[in-house]
Amino acid sequence: MQQPARSIADSHDMIEVRGARENNLASVSVDIPKRRLTVFTGVSGSGKSSLVFGTIAAESQRMINETYSAFLQSFMPSLSRPDVDSLRNLSAAIVVDQERMGANSRSTVGTATDAYAMLRIVFSRLGQPHVGPAGAFSFNLAEGMCPTCEGLGRVSDLDVDQLVDVERSLNDGAITVPNFAVDSWYWQSIVGSGLFDPDVKLQDFTAQQWQDFLHKPATKMKVGNHTITYEGLAVKVRRLYLSKDKEPTQPHIRAFVERAVTFATCGGCAGARLNRAALSARIAGRNIAECSAMQISDLAAFVRGIDDPSVAPLVGNLRELLDSLVEIGLGYLSLDRESGSLSGGEAQRVKMVRHLGSSLTDVTYVFDEPTVGLHPHDIARMNGLLLRLRDKGNTVLVVEHKPETIAIADHVVDLGPGAGPDGGRICYAGDVAGLRRADCLTGRHLDHRTRLREHARTPTGHLPIRGANLHNLRDVDVDVPLGVLTVVTGVAGSGKSSLIHGCLPRRAGVVVVDQSPIRGSRRSNPATYTGLLDPVRSAFAKANKVRPALFSANSEGACPKCRGIGVVYTDLAMMAGVASVCEECEGRRFTPQVLAYTLRGKNISEVLAMSVTEARGFFPSGPARSVLDRLADVGLGYLSLGQPLTTLSGGERQRLKLAIHMGEKAHTYVLDEPTTGLHLADVDKLLALLDRLVDAGNTVVVVEHHQAVMAHADWIIDLGPGAGHDGGRIVFTGTPADLVARGDTLTATHLREYVGR
């Protein structure tokens, strides 16, 4: 049979990038095969994300946005065109990143995946007694939500002990709420009511006085010739600090709110979020709240038992969705788990499930380190899902460091050779076999293995954890050794974070260094966050005999047009807004007068544009140098001092926090997956840093899956054996050598394979 002639439409099988210069990319040109799995490798800061996210995905999404009407575009984020000569043969890009899912307490795993919507329809059809349409089972709609908690499952209350000291009188400062100090306006409004003797201790108030003092609603009262509005302290605090439409911005107010507000399970629904009618309907003896609270792997088995033909297609789709969640390693979650409580890796995998069942094909999926938070056992399943997406005819682009995922790539693009100004070039493009032979950093380290520590350090004592039962932990007793490097490991959902973050942070001298976002605006950068800017400003002020405030982009030295940001954001009404470099200061952020002042031939803008490595040469001693040394120690030598914090990855944020804490007096460091975002070559540097911390007399506890960190540890605590209710137990404690020699856990199997035993 004669083959059909190849159409010209079949020739667009490469994404062609020409002259990409976004961030540190050095006019990169590269061809990326479509409908294949391409992995992008290179050290942190080499330009991987700039090429994949900042150029290819950004331009694809910008061009799609331009197809919408101007009215719709006005509601979309403004996307500027990437700095690139040309991009050809792009397809629609779907970015599946590690951004935490919205912290809205009404968003759950069930609502985010549509599994709960399907379950609602099933209950509206089959639930007995019959309640009504699917909306009657929604805790986000009036017809389904519990009237007491409005569908949240919990009610907030105030801890009175955080509001007052009952052993004092009002004149002695009994009220401990911020802005309620003696003689303050708020204090006067309470004392001036005449309801209480200000010299009587609160503990001696009558029952009626105590009720009025805390809970009296806003009431107009005649005091002398004046009419005042009095309201109880608890009522006023709720109005001032706990209203739903605003979040406190001042750190001391925020800290007070976190201390004072307590959440209790709603008495009306016992935490189920739904009203009594919705909870009365049952299928096979379970109501919808009980189904949502089940571990997803158990719920999948329950759903398989529903065989009513009236809902067969819907139940089939729900079954496939739940099975996908199990397959992707999230079977330990429940549908009622709040989305905001998921880790970055879990959030990424939840988003991934949405696309596995999609009918879309010939699109470009872009993943940012999909193996984050995954045990080696789980990485194999993740790889299978990436290949499934590719086999549906999609282009899959993955930024990744793990050799297990690099190994399954059809094509590899390695960027480097270094970071920042030393990166941004293509070091290798081709298949994995060619990468192994290539003379590049990734190729040389692809088969590199960290050897087991021959002599484990001896603990100086122990931190006992007793009866830990947070989440899925089962009354766990374990001793965390002091003065050594301990790695806590186990499959995703086995209870590692519950054990360490739930028990250790409450101890004195324990510093937790995680990957959570750093509070700050687009004005914040490594120089401001670490305190480095203070000695830099002082040095400029001393050299030029002027005020230090001139050298702050947030103060009087800032360019008046862009207010020290360096770019001007222009609102184009119905069109998407545009961010453009400030014409007045040309992006340098300061006034010409300030830029005229120099320190050893450099102005303040040029110093902030330096990388940490460059700045170390510029500041050979003093307080600035000590901060820069710590930044270099944690592997952030490539970061520029003025780079906005909003552009940092989770791993970079964690290392930035670690650099700050290393300057403090702590003795126990708890790190959460510090290898996130680290190239294979940089893992060795991290291990050297952890060793230096331990050798300086500190205790280091690392929650980690990377086999190199496990092999290098003095002690391993392994949780499992599985995830969710199949985990929560200690399955091994001992040295890595012992684990390899006699361990029978999933971790032992993979570590044995890693070290070649």
Side-chain angles (χ1 to χ4, degrees):
M1 181 178 171
Q2 187 176 1
Q3 292 291 321
R6 181 173 166 84
S7 166
I8 193 167
D10 298 327
S11 65
H12 302 282
D13 53 5
M14 288 281 182
I15 297 173
E16 298 175 9
V17 181
R18 298 292 180 265
R21 291 175 297 276
E22 196 68 22
N23 297 325
N24 68 329
L25 295 178
S27 199
V28 163
S29 296
V30 65
D31 289 344
I32 300 162
K34 297 177 78 170
R35 293 172 289 282
R36 297 291 183 272
L37 171 60
T38 299
V39 174
F40 294 79
T41 59
V43 297
S44 298
S46 60
K48 306 182 299 296
S49 294
S50 296
L51 177 60
V52 179
F53 293 94
T55 304
I56 298 171
E59 180 63 357
S60 169
Q61 292 186 324
R62 188 186 72 85
M63 295 178 78
I64 289 172
N65 285 3
E66 284 190 347
T67 66
Y68 296 116
S69 68
F71 175 73
L72 284 178
Q73 287 185 51
S74 69
F75 296 100
M76 296 177 177
S78 58
L79 302 172
S80 56
R81 189 182 187 281
D83 189 0
V84 59
D85 290 340
S86 72
L87 282 168
R88 286 192 287 273
N89 304 332
L90 290 179
S91 55
I94 296 172
V95 175
V96 189
D97 58 21
Q98 291 178 38
E99 283 298 312
R100 297 283 180 107
M101 299 175 79
N104 186 334
S105 55
R106 294 190 176 279
S107 173
T108 64
V109 171
T111 60
T113 58
D114 287 337
Y116 189 68
M118 296 183 196
L119 200 59
R120 288 195 289 120
I121 297 171
V122 172
F123 266 85
S124 71
R125 302 271 180 84
L126 304 182
Q128 291 297 326
H130 179 71
V131 171
F137 294 93
S138 171
F139 48 79
N140 290 329
L141 296 176
E143 59 259 46
M145 67 173 59
C146 165
T148 306
C149 63
E150 296 182 344
L152 292 176
R154 60 178 189 262
V155 289
S156 62
D157 201 358
L158 283 170
D159 182 353
V160 175
D161 290 337
Q162 298 294 336
L163 307 184
V164 294
D165 180 349
V166 295
E167 295 183 356
R168 296 187 189 183
S169 68
L170 291 172
N171 278 340
D172 287 336
I175 303 176
T176 57
V177 179
N179 302 330
F180 281 77
V182 174
D183 288 331
S184 67
W185 173 257
Y186 292 144
W187 179 89
Q188 290 176 19
S189 71
I190 291 174
V191 172
S193 69
L195 293 171
F196 325 101
D197 183 339
D199 290 315
V200 171
K201 293 180 181 178
L202 301 194
Q203 63 189 12
D204 295 329
F205 278 11
T206 66
Q208 185 59 51
Q209 285 176 323
W210 185 247
Q211 178 69 22
D212 289 345
F213 174 66
L214 284 179
H215 305 298
K216 192 177 184 70
T219 308
K220 289 197 182 306
M221 302 178 66
K222 190 88 170 170
V223 178
N225 295 324
H226 302 284
T227 301
I228 67 164
T229 298
Y230 172 84
E231 58 186 340
L233 178 64
V235 177
K236 189 184 286 284
V237 167
R238 281 196 178 90
R239 179 174 61 79
L240 291 175
Y241 300 140
L242 307 184
S243 59
K244 295 176 183 176
D245 57 341
K246 63 185 178 190
E247 185 180 332
T249 53
Q250 295 171 291
H252 71 289
I253 301 289
R254 201 160 50 233
F256 161 73
V257 170
E258 288 171 1
R259 286 196 316 271
V261 177
T262 59
F263 287 97
T265 301
C266 172
C269 63
R273 295 176 174 241
L274 297 162
N275 59 32
R276 289 181 182 176
L279 295 175
S280 69
R282 294 180 178 271
I283 295 176
R286 295 184 185 273
N287 65 30
I288 193 168
E290 290 166 345
C291 289
S292 296
M294 292 170 75
Q295 191 165 297
I296 286 173
S297 55
D298 294 338
L299 180 59
F302 175 79
V303 169
R304 278 194 287 274
I306 300 174
D307 58 0
D308 192 296
S310 67
V311 290
L314 180 65
V315 167
N317 290 337
L318 177 58
R319 192 183 304 134
E320 283 181 24
L321 176 54
L322 296 173
D323 287 344
S324 294
L325 284 163
V326 173
E327 185 181 356
I328 208 167
L330 295 177
Y332 60 90
L333 296 179
S334 57
L335 295 188
D336 64 2
R337 172 85 173 261
E338 288 189 12
S339 303
S341 70
L342 300 179
S343 69
E346 287 171 332
Q348 186 177 36
R349 297 197 289 283
V350 166
K351 295 173 196 172
M352 191 176 184
V353 166
R354 296 176 186 167
H355 303 297
L356 286 172
S358 170
S359 301
L360 289 174
T361 185
D362 242 333
V363 297
T364 298
Y365 285 100
V366 185
F367 290 92
D368 184 13
E369 280 196 80
T371 61
V372 163
L374 287 184
H375 188 273
H377 172 73
D378 299 313
I379 290 177
R381 292 195 289 191
M382 171 60 73
N383 286 347
L385 295 168
L386 293 172
L387 293 172
R388 264 174 59 190
L389 278 176
R390 177 204 64 186
D391 292 345
K392 285 176 64 178
N394 299 304
T395 304
V396 182
L397 309 181
V398 183
V399 173
E400 188 54 85
H401 295 287
K402 293 281 174 66
E404 298 99 319
T405 300
I406 296 172
I408 65 163
D410 301 307
H411 191 73
V412 179
V413 176
D414 188 53
L415 285 98
D422 297 326
R425 296 183 286 280
I426 302 292
C427 297
Y428 173 81
D431 61 14
V432 178
L435 177 64
R436 283 197 161 88
R437 297 190 299 269
D439 183 25
C440 63
L441 200 60
T442 305
R444 291 195 296 272
H445 280 81
L446 201 55
D447 296 316
H448 169 71
R449 296 290 182 267
T450 299
R451 295 216 303 258
L452 288 170
R453 188 184 285 278
E454 289 184 17
H455 303 290
R457 286 167 288 215
T458 305
T460 57
H462 291 88
L463 269 177
I465 295 175
R466 297 289 178 264
N469 54 16
L470 183 65
H471 297 139
N472 67 330
L473 296 177
R474 303 190 178 192
D475 287 324
V476 168
D477 294 337
V478 68
D479 291 322
V480 179
L482 296 172
V484 299
L485 171 59
T486 298
V487 169
V488 181
T489 189
V491 297
S494 59
K496 305 179 299 298
S497 295
S498 299
L499 178 66
I500 298 305
H501 294 304
C503 300
L504 285 188
R506 296 193 294 270
R507 316 285 176 101
V510 175
V511 168
V512 177
V513 190
D514 61 16
Q515 299 184 28
S516 60
I518 295 170
R519 286 191 180 272
S521 65
R522 54 190 173 215
R523 292 177 174 276
S524 304
N525 53 51
T528 59
Y529 185 69
T530 60
L532 173 66
L533 190 58
D534 293 333
V536 169
R537 288 165 55 203
S538 298
F540 267 94
K542 186 176 179 181
N544 294 281
K545 296 182 173 56
V546 292
R547 297 183 308 282
L550 283 174
F551 303 99
S552 169
N554 299 328
S555 189
E556 55 189 285
C559 165
K561 184 168 184 182
C562 64
R563 292 181 294 178
I565 300 177
V567 293
V568 176
Y569 293 88
T570 308
D571 183 7
L572 298 180
M574 301 306 278
M575 299 293 287
V578 171
S580 54
V581 175
C582 175
E583 294 177 3
E584 192 159 317
C585 68
E586 296 178 333
R588 290 179 291 190
R589 305 175 66 188
F590 295 88
T591 63
Q593 293 89 331
V594 172
L595 294 174
Y597 297 121
T598 61
L599 177 67
R600 295 190 290 280
K602 299 281 187 185
N603 65 36
I604 183 69
S605 182
E606 290 168 330
V607 169
L608 290 175
M610 289 179 177
S611 68
V612 168
T613 303
E614 291 174 278
R616 288 178 77 208
F618 190 74
F619 294 101
S621 60
R625 176 58 188 252
S626 62
V627 175
L628 291 165
D629 283 345
R630 293 201 299 271
L631 287 169
D633 282 345
V634 298
L636 294 178
Y638 60 90
L639 277 190
S640 70
L641 304 185
Q643 181 175 338
L645 292 185
T646 50
T647 65
L648 301 188
S649 68
E652 287 169 335
R653 289 193 296 257
Q654 183 178 36
R655 295 195 287 282
L656 185 60
K657 293 175 189 174
L658 179 58
I660 293 172
H661 289 306
M662 282 168 62
E664 300 171 355
K665 282 187 166 48
H667 56 69
T668 301
Y669 292 88
V670 177
L671 281 72
D672 197 350
E673 292 189 59
T675 60
T676 299
L678 279 187
H679 186 268
L680 296 162
D682 291 329
V683 172
D684 287 343
K685 295 177 187 174
L686 173 72
L687 295 177
L689 170 65
L690 300 180
D691 278 344
R692 286 203 300 277
L693 284 171
V694 172
D695 294 339
N698 298 295
T699 298
V700 179
V701 180
V702 181
V703 177
E704 187 56 85
H705 298 290
H706 203 297
Q707 294 103 314
V709 185
M710 293 183 208
H712 196 72
D714 299 296
W715 196 254
I716 284 184
I717 298 173
D718 193 17
L719 280 96
H725 59 52
D726 295 326
R729 296 186 287 271
I730 302 290
V731 292
F732 176 86
T733 59
T735 65
D738 287 342
L739 181 63
V740 167
R742 60 182 177 83
D744 61 353
T745 67
L746 286 169
T747 302
T749 302
H750 287 277
L751 188 57
R752 206 173 283 128
E753 184 181 322
Y754 174 83
V755 298
R757 297 281 179 89

